[in-house]
Amino acid sequence: MDLLNTLVDKGLRRELPTREEALAVLATSDDDLLDVVAAAGKVRRQWFGRRVKLNYLVNLKSGLCPEDCSYCSQRLGSKAEILKYTWLKPEEASKAAAAGVAGGAKRVCLVASGRGPTDRDVERVGRTIEAIKEENEGVEVCACLGLLSDGQAERLRSAGADAYNHNLNTSEGTYGDITTTHTYADRVDTVQKAHAAGLSACSGLIAGMGESDEDLVDVVFALRELDPDSVPVNFLIPFEGTPLAKEWNLTPQRALRILAMVRFVCPDVEVRLAGGREVHLRTLQPLALHLANSIFLGDYLTSEGQAGKADLEMIADAGFEVEGTDTTTLPEHRSDAASCGTGGGCGSGSVCSSEEPAPAATTEQAGTEQVRGDQARTDLVAVRRRGAGTDLAPNA
């Protein structure tokens, strides 16, 4: 297929595809799916080999968020029966993080619900980062605390944070349909603050909320423009008790096409297979490893994930290897730029803050992609009842 040959060539040169090419990837048929995965896999292997980076989430503060993000189980007014607790103590968070590191995680992601941290919260998270790094040599720590005020990114970096996550989630044109308590521009500003402070920026999207192909391409092109080092791709987890509980708009095949499109647009960044992979990819998860070079190990913020042991077996069975702490994740041209605080260039180079929706699907799209209500896999949406904030052992 000429399209795929062109996209592979561009990906190997770190050249931006056209919007039309990105849209064409999403429009490919199921008959062409393995060709699409194979083509995007060539780009993935060029920049990341067969390594898979493992990341582990620690939910520092769960529920009771004042923001109204429609997708989120922790949102204002959510009736989802999730765990609710206030800030974990640094030693509690460090103990939770240690379970993930023991399971092979290279990065620990510290997440707290809320609009954004107070200065006191930043101090608290700083102590937590210090506690984790004292106990776990070589581990990376990413903070995900919501919208940042001036100076907070710098303070987190001084405390030892390596990265900051804040997702765009969906296109600028539809953002107001999702959230009214903050804006798309607020999110962009926080990613830019992280960049300016010398933190590795992590920003991604959520698919599966009924969005159009154009919306998906819009947000991925916007992410490339922002130039994060890591792009998490979340698939909506339709929690009962949230406005999007009935949104079952993905098939495993569409989820793979979305991941392939992200890889072609951002060929040399860490593309992370994030929340909702078990719900929507299901038995096709191993194919996604040919597109993404990074996954979350075990459970998510408020939902349970695949067993950590099963994650490791899946990686090995698919012919990949877990990336060690002695290996640099990013290609040399990006890691060199990141070390001097300039970013690498996406093409020259939650989850309370990690999951979000978009507008209704087009009629054409809905006819081929949308999952009927009687195909909804609600059995795969399990509220987290173990790990951080509980007395039960974590899944790692």
Side-chain angles (χ1 to χ4, degrees), residues 52-359:
V52 178
K53 180 177 180 178
L54 298 182
N55 309 268
Y56 190 69
L57 284 166
V58 176
N59 195 352
L60 296 178
K61 181 167 73 77
S62 183
L64 308 175
C65 182
E67 302 298 286
D68 66 356
C69 306
S70 302
Y71 60 85
C72 187
S73 61
Q74 305 183 78
R75 73 187 297 272
L76 180 69
S78 170
K79 293 181 172 55
E81 298 293 330
I82 62 169
L83 291 170
K84 298 181 178 69
Y85 52 86
T86 191
W87 290 93
L88 296 181
K89 295 177 181 177
E91 58 270 24
E92 293 172 328
S94 181
K95 182 179 179 181
V101 174
K106 180 176 179 178
R107 172 174 288 191
V108 173
C109 304
L110 302 176
V111 188
S113 63
R115 177 180 178 83
T118 65
D119 288 342
R120 182 182 177 187
D121 293 336
V122 171
E123 292 176 10
R124 188 196 320 261
V125 174
R127 293 194 299 272
T128 300
I129 294 169
E130 291 169 3
I132 290 172
K133 291 207 164 187
E134 283 176 4
E135 297 295 326
N136 302 281
E137 184 178 356
V139 71
E140 300 173 4
V141 177
C142 178
C144 177
L145 312 174
L147 302 173
L148 293 176
S149 301
D150 290 345
Q152 290 183 329
E154 287 79 4
R155 290 169 60 193
L156 286 167
R157 189 185 184 201
S158 295
D162 300 285
Y164 195 84
N165 166 261
H166 200 60
N167 293 337
L168 296 188
N169 291 319
T170 193
S171 65
E172 182 176 12
T174 61
Y175 197 85
D177 298 332
I178 296 162
T179 303
T180 66
T181 47
H182 61 266
T183 67
Y184 178 91
D186 290 331
R187 286 187 173 264
V188 170
D189 179 66
T190 286
V191 178
Q192 291 172 335
K193 281 184 167 70
H195 254 319
L199 292 167
S200 176
C202 174
S203 188
L205 65 143
I206 302 172
M209 300 170 289
E211 68 276 348
S212 68
D213 287 358
E214 288 76 10
D215 291 315
L216 287 170
V217 171
D218 281 349
V219 68
V220 176
F221 271 62
L223 286 166
R224 174 161 173 144
E225 180 83 14
L226 268 182
D227 187 30
D229 290 322
S230 177
V231 175
V233 180
N234 296 277
F235 301 106
L236 177 72
I237 301 175
F239 276 99
E240 289 297 329
T242 65
L244 297 181
K246 306 303 179 186
E247 291 290 336
W248 289 86
N249 301 313
L250 290 174
T251 63
Q253 293 82 4
R254 178 160 175 78
L256 288 170
R257 280 191 283 272
I258 291 167
L259 285 166
M261 185 269 288
V262 175
R263 175 56 72 195
F264 286 130
V265 175
C266 294
D268 60 343
V269 305
E270 177 190 341
V271 174
R272 186 179 306 164
L273 186 56
R277 64 178 164 96
E278 301 89 344
V279 177
H280 296 292
L281 281 162
R282 301 191 286 278
T283 58
L284 295 193
Q285 287 184 74
L287 280 180
L289 297 178
H290 293 272
L291 308 170
N293 63 294
S294 178
I295 68 170
F296 280 110
L297 175 72
D299 293 335
Y300 303 99
L301 296 178
T302 61
S303 66
E304 292 188 353
Q306 181 168 278
K309 183 174 182 289
D311 287 337
L312 298 176
E313 290 174 348
M314 177 180 72
I315 290 168
D317 289 348
F320 292 87
E321 60 183 15
V322 173
E323 183 175 290
T325 56
D326 57 345
T327 302
T328 301
T329 300
L330 297 172
E332 186 175 0
H333 61 273
R334 285 195 65 89
S335 56
D336 287 349
S339 67
C340 62
T342 61
C346 185
S348 67
S350 182
V351 183
C352 194
S353 297
S354 303
E355 302 167 338
E356 203 146 355

Side-chain angles (χ1 to χ4, degrees), residues 33-52:
L33 181 63
L34 290 181
D35 293 332
V36 172
V37 172
K42 290 180 181 178
V43 179
R44 180 248 200 265
R45 289 192 300 277
Q46 166 71 18
W47 302 114
F48 300 97
R50 301 190 73 84
R51 294 176 284 114
V52 178

